[in-house]
Structure formats: structure tokens, C-alpha cells
């Protein structure tokens, strides 16, 4: 908020929807009962309790349940934050700085106060030693200064209207806990946070339990009313998704998110569902589809040519695979921001402001970015002959030809690659297996390799794969995180989310335009332009998405009738759920 205006919250555009004296978030039940527990199941394992660094695998929920930020996000608005650890946030019209004032009552779980010193140290250590996603914002900060007993001001050296909000969402850690310790090393010492829960018990790779802190300082804040109602949150780890589902059917797991609509219809008739002990809930949402599918590692020479990537996208028999695995129920992802106003219109040419933004990069853009592009559509048959012919023609244009039944380049090297998938991702493994069979019609030898979660983390962190399963969830207010997803630093810097290894000045220019936009029309145009660049980059073979969330849970677990804009999004389950016999 501008100096002199309301300071209880800040919105990316316009003003916060809730007034300074709001009682609770609109999708939270301020009268929700307290107590009870929820148990989730996870595939894989964990070996570290430091979720802020590249090294190690941290357990689910650690940051969300035990650590707080200066501001908290409302899931009922595209991007609006309200005071959490901070009682106020002040910026100027240009958003050249942001100043936060801490609440006097803010405390860590050990009872010590949250101080400005803790805030400054947290920002610096995360920005210089934490995961790469923290560095982008830190590098845009010119100065940090304490301006009062509980106030801190960050002045920026780059124009970025999202920065005040990004900084508001940085985790705040206790500086004294880390004195004399190497922050970059994995550890089994839980971070001391100020959040509603503390780590109560854990066994690496098997389970972790979070217990409600009875002395939690923030229980009565309006932002928190109706949130964090459960006394205990537990995550149990299993070898694969099938084992998790069996544990849910047996009652050991109390909440299950189902992504396969056919399985939802056909396999949720077990006794607990029939008796009403387990309830099936379908929760709609209005968020973008994001991107999920099989990503090409363009650092590999075999995938450097866009025509090769287009050929392999064309050869992916989506209609047949979707019918076989999902009964053709879920729609295909058309683009990274499809299912939202931020997405490009498939097949339509760029127009208006979108075309203006893309025009300076015309010579570097791939076909379709300006003229219009839509994913290839198969005929639905297993043979998919027309698509295979089109894919073969593209491969020939790129210098590949079939020799004695094997696709080879001019040097006689065969076209072979590996699809890396984590153990237990059964639907993805099945889709990849059908795809591999289809590629044989082109003379391509592909193989599916499954590994455990630790190996998968290591290999994807180092970009040690040809093709792998890829998911990027995207919000209605994309911003600085897009640089981590698609920025050129990720071509060589390990640990980013630019798994495809794309290097696109046009994409980075759209991101810069997006974060500097002063009105929503310019912002939407920049995102739609970015969507075109990403989609026509042919970096991912998109699969399906769901425009609803399918949740099965014990009947004692309740949630409010009023659903947020984002639906079932992190911050909804289990934050606003409660337990009631």
C-alpha cells in the first residue's frame, strides 16, 4: 500500500479486497472446531529437514506448517497479501521500496521474539546460500536498513512491481539457530519457525508428524482465524503411489487426492466409501492448467532442433493414450496458461498488444508464435498413421532418415533416448510405455527408466536426463518465479526449474514486461505473449489436466462451503479444514 493509505495488505493490482478490520479470510470458517488429525501419504522419502537449500530432500509440509512469512496470501484473490508476521506494509507508487513493520507479539516456537535482525539475516542467507529461486529477488535489492525497533526497509535497484509481494512471502528463520553452522548442508535439525506447528516426531524416509504449538503467537490474528484447526498433521512415506492408495483404503491415510478420473469412477467403491466413512469431494477451481507432460532436455543434441521436438510431439498419440488411461475424460493442456484469461488462443494469430510485444523478436521466434499454433491432433486410432507420416516428414527435414528400420542421422547414429520417471508414477509410466511403442513406427528406440525419488532428485537437479516427466503449476499472477522456470541461467546452473534448458531472450523480455506492468491489460498481454513463446518452443509434450480436484477423505474431515478462487490449492488443505466427529 502507498504511504498514508491502508497498510494491512497489498495487491499486485488495485487494492486488497478485504478491509483493515476483516474478521477472517472469506473461505475460512472462524468458528471451526479445533483438534483432531489428518494423515497424508507420500511416495519416496526424505533425508533432510532443511527445505531451503539444493542439497537433500525435505519432507512434505515442513515450510508450510512450521515457518511463517511477513505477509500471507489469500487464495480468493489473484495475488493479494495480508499482514502476518508484519502488521503493516508500505511502498510507493513506483514500488521502488517496501517497508515492513513486525508485530510486537510475533514469536518463534521457542518463545523468542521475531526481530528485524532475523528478517534481514533470513533474506540474505536465503538469497546467497538458499535454493536458486531466492536469489533472483535478492539480487534486485540495493539496500536493506532497519528503520525502527520493529521496521525494515528494502530499496530496489531494478524496476519490479512484484518485488514487495515476493519479499512478503520469504520464510523468516531464527538467526541464532544457525550460528556456527553451514546453512548449505543437509541436516536433521528442524528449523525453528514461528508457524502454527512444530516437528513433533520423524523417521527419515518413513514419516514426519507436525503438532500444533499450544503457545503459537498468531492464533488470534484475523488472517489465521479458521485456519490451522487440526492438532496434528502427519505424512507417511511409501515406496509408490499404489502403496499409498492401499494405505488409504485401509484407513491408515485419511486424505487422498486422485488425479485419474477413471480410477475415481471405478476404484472408489471400496467398503469405507460404501459405508460413508470415506467421502468423495469434487472441488472446482479457476487456476491455469500449468504444464505437465514429458520435457525435452534441449541440452542434448538430439533435441536441439525444434523440428525434431515437433515430430515427437506429433507422434505422441494423445487421443489414444487419454482414452486408454483416462476414458478421454480430462482435457488436454493447450498451453502453459490454458484454462485462464492468461492463456493464448490455440491456432489464432497474435494480435494487438501481444503482437506488439513479440514483433521485436520476430526473427528469433519459432513458427506459430506470431502466426498461430495449436497442438497436433491424432485420429484416435492406435496406428495414428497420419500423425506418424507428418512426424516422419519433420524428422527428414531435420536430417534424420530410416535406414534398415532404424532412424539415423547423416553420421549413421541411431535416434535413441531415455525417458526418466520416478517410481510409483503409474499413470505416467503407462503413458510413456504406450508412447515408446508408437515411436517404433518411426524407427526410434526409446526406453523408460524408473528410479527412486532420491536418484530422480539428483538427476533432475543436474539435468542428467534426455526426457522426463515435468510439472509446473502456474498461478493467476505469474511473476519473478518465471525467471527461475524459463531463464537462461538455468541452461548451466544446476537446481533451477528450467529443466528444458531453454535460452530465450524473448521469454525473458516478456517476464520483465510482466513484472514491470502497471495495469492489468499490459500484464495479461505480456503473459499471453510468454505463453506463445513457451508453447511454440516445443519444449514439452503436454498431457492432460483437471479443471476440478478430486479428493477422498474421512468423513470427520470437513471444509467450508465457501470455496476460494484457486479451489484445492496449497493453503486450502489442510489449512482451513477441521475435524468433527
Amino acid at each position: 500500500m502507498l504511504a498514508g493509505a491502508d497498510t494491512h495488505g497489498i495487491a499486485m493490482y488495485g487494492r486488497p479486497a478485504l478491509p483493515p478490520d476483516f474478521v477472517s479470510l472469506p473461505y475460512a470458517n472462524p468458528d471451526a472446531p479445533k483438534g483432531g488429525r489428518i494423515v497424508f501419504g507420500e511416495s519416496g522419502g526424505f533425508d533432510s529437514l532443511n527445505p531451503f537449500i539444493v542439497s537433500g530432500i525435505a519432507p512434505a509440509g515442513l515450510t508450510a506448517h512450521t515457518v511463517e512469512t511477513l505477509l500471507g496470501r489469500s487464495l480468493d484473490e489473484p495475488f493479494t497479501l495480508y499482514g502476518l508476521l508484519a502488521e503493516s506494509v508500505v511502498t510507493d507508487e513506483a514500488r521502488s521500496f517496501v517497508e515492513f513493520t513486525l508485530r510486537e507479539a510475533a514469536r518463534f516456537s521457542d518463545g523468542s521474539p521475531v526481530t528485524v535482525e532475523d528478517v534481514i539475516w533470513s533474506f540474505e542467507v536465503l538469497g546467497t546460500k538458499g535454493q536458486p529461486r531466492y536469489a533472483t529477488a535478492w539480487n534486485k535489492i540495493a539496500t536493506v536498513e532497519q528503520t525502527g525497533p520493529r521496521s525494515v526497509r528494502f530499496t530496489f535497484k531494478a524496476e519490479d512491481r512484484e518485488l514487495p509481494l515476493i519479499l512478503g512471502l520469504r520464510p523468516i528463520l531464527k538467526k541464532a539457530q544457525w550460528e556456527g553452522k553451514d546453512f548449505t548442508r543437509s541436516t536433521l535439525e528442524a528449523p525453528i519457525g514461528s508457524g502454527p506447528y512444530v516437528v513433533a516426531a520423524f523417521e527419515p524416509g518413513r514419516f514426519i508428524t507436525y503438532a500444533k504449538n499450544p503457545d503459537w503467537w498468531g492464533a488470534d490474528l484475523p488472517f489465521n482465524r479458521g485456519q490451522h484447526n487440526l492438532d496434528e498433521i502427519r505424512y507417511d512415506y511409501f515406496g509408490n503411489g499404489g502403496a499409498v492408495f492401499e494405505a488409504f483404503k485401509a484407513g491408515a491415510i485419511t486424505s487422498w487426492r486422485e488425479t485419474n478420473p477413471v480410477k475415481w469412477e471405478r476404484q472408489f467403491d471400496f467398503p469405507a466409501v460404501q459405508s460413508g466413512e470415506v467421502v468423495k469431494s469434487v472441488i472446482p477451481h479457476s487456476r491455469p492448467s500449468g504444464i505437465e507432460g514429458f520435457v525435452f532436455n534441449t541440452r542434448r543434441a538430439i533435441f536441439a532442433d525444434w523440428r525434431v521436438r515437433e515430430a515427437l510431439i506429433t507422434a505422441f498419440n494423445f487421443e489414444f493414450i487419454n482414452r486408454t488411461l483416462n476414458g478421454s475424460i480430462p482435457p488436454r493442456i493447450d498451453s502453459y496458461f490454458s484454462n485462464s484469461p492468461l492463456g493464448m488462443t490455440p491456432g489464432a494469430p497474435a494480435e494487438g498488444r501481444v503482437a506488439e510485444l513479440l514483433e521485436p523478436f520476430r526473427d528469433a521466434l519459432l513458427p506459430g508464435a506470431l502466426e498461430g499454433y495449436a497442438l497436433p491432433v491424432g485420429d484416435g486410432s492406435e496406428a495414428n498413421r497420419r500423425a506418424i507420416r507428418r512426424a516422419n516428414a519433420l524428422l527428414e527435414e531435420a536430417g534424420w532418415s530410416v535406414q534398415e528400420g532404424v532412424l539415423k542421422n547423416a553420421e549413421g547414429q541411431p535416434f535413441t533416448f531415455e525417458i526418466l520417471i520416478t517410481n510409483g508414477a503409474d499413470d505416467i509410466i503407462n503413458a510413456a510405455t504406450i508412447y515408446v511403442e508408437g515411436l517404433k513406427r518411426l524407427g526410434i528406440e526409446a526406453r523408460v527408466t524408473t528410479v527412486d525419488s532420491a536418484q530422480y532428485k539428483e538427476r533432475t537437479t543436474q539435468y542428467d536426463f534426455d526426457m522426463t516427466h515435468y510439472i509446473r503449476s502456474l498461478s493467476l499472477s505469474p511473476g519473478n518465479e518465471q525467471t527461475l522456470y524459463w531463464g537462461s541461467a538455468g541452461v548451466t546452473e544446476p537446481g533451477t526449474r528450467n529443466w528444458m534448458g531453454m535460452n530465450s531472450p524473448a521469454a525473458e523480455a516478456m517476464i520483465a514486461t510482466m513484472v514491470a506492468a502497471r495495469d492489468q491489460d499490459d500484464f495479461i498481454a505480456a503473459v499471453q505473449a510468454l505463453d506463445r513463446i513457451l508453447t511454440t518452443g516445443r519444449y514439452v509434450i503436454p498431457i492432460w489436466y483437471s479443471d476440478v480436484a478430486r479428493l477422498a477423505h474421512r468423513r470427520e474431515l470437513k471444509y467450508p462451503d465457501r470455496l476460494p478462487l484457486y479451489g484445492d490449492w496449497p493453503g486450502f488443505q489442510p489449512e482451513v479444514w477441521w475435524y468433527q466427529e
Side-chain angles (χ1 to χ4, degrees), residues 241-296:
V244 181
F245 185 57
E246 290 303 316
F248 174 66
K249 289 167 61 177
I253 304 301
T254 61
S255 179
W256 171 269
R257 178 181 283 103
E258 182 53 61
T259 58
N260 186 315
V262 174
K263 184 177 176 182
W264 180 257
E265 295 299 328
R266 298 178 181 175
Q267 296 188 32
F268 282 77
D269 60 352
F270 49 90
V273 174
Q274 295 175 353
S275 69
E277 294 176 63
V278 166
V279 177
K280 296 170 65 177
S281 296
V282 176
I283 300 175
H285 67 78
S286 302
R287 60 182 183 266
S289 63
I291 190 69
E292 179 176 4
F294 298 97
V295 63
F296 298 99

Side-chain angles (χ1 to χ4, degrees), residues 289-291 332-339 344 346 373-375 531 535 542-543 545:
S289 63
I291 190 69
R332 191 175 196 183
I333 295 170
D334 290 322
S335 69
Y336 290 59
F337 290 92
S338 62
N339 193 50
M344 58 176 266
Y373 175 79
L375 291 171
D531 196 29
T535 304
I543 55 173
Y545 76 99

Side-chain angles (χ1 to χ4, degrees), residues 404-518:
E404 298 179 351
V406 178
L407 188 68
K408 297 181 180 181
N409 61 14
E411 289 73 38
Q413 298 169 323
F415 196 118
T416 66
F417 67 92
E418 174 191 68
I419 305 176
L420 181 71
I421 304 175
T422 187
N423 288 335
D426 295 340
D427 289 346
I428 302 304
I429 293 171
N430 291 336
T433 300
I434 298 173
Y435 182 41
V436 165
E437 286 301 307
L439 289 175
K440 291 178 180 178
R441 296 183 173 89
L442 291 169
I444 293 174
E445 179 187 348
R447 63 191 183 280
V448 177
T449 299
T450 59
V451 296
D452 62 34
S453 58
Q455 294 179 71
Y456 187 78
K457 170 73 159 47
E458 176 63 23
R459 289 188 61 177
T460 53
T461 296
Q462 300 299 327
Y463 316 124
D464 180 20
F465 61 87
D466 301 326
M467 177 184 287
T468 191
H469 178 223
Y470 187 71
I471 302 177
R472 288 294 169 259
S473 297
L474 299 171
S475 77
L476 289 168
S477 185
N480 277 282
E481 79 286 347
Q482 302 297 301
T483 299
L484 182 68
Y485 294 173
W486 332 118
S488 59
V491 175
T492 56
E493 180 183 330
T496 74
R497 299 183 184 182
N498 182 3
W499 288 11
M500 61 275 289
M502 63 179 282
N503 182 357
S504 171
E508 294 189 350
M510 296 311 110
I511 296 170
T513 301
M514 179 196 315
V515 298
R518 289 177 176 259

Side-chain angles (χ1 to χ4, degrees), residues 82-156:
Y82 295 94
L84 192 53
L85 283 172
E87 65 182 13
S88 69
V89 52
V90 173
T91 186
D92 60 354
E93 177 62 35
R95 292 194 175 176
S96 64
F97 77 91
V98 65
E99 183 170 311
F100 302 99
T101 299
L102 292 170
R103 297 184 191 273
E104 189 172 4
R107 294 289 185 275
F108 289 110
S109 60
D110 63 357
S112 60
V114 179
T115 67
V116 170
E117 185 178 9
D118 293 312
V119 173
I120 295 174
W121 177 85
S122 297
F123 276 68
E124 182 175 3
V125 75
L126 290 172
T128 58
K129 299 181 179 181
Q131 293 184 12
R133 69 173 181 267
Y134 298 121
T136 301
W138 176 251
N139 291 334
K140 294 181 180 181
I141 296 173
T143 61
V144 184
E145 57 181 325
Q146 182 166 351
T147 53
R150 292 181 285 112
S151 299
V152 58
R153 175 178 287 217
F154 299 87
T155 302
F156 309 136

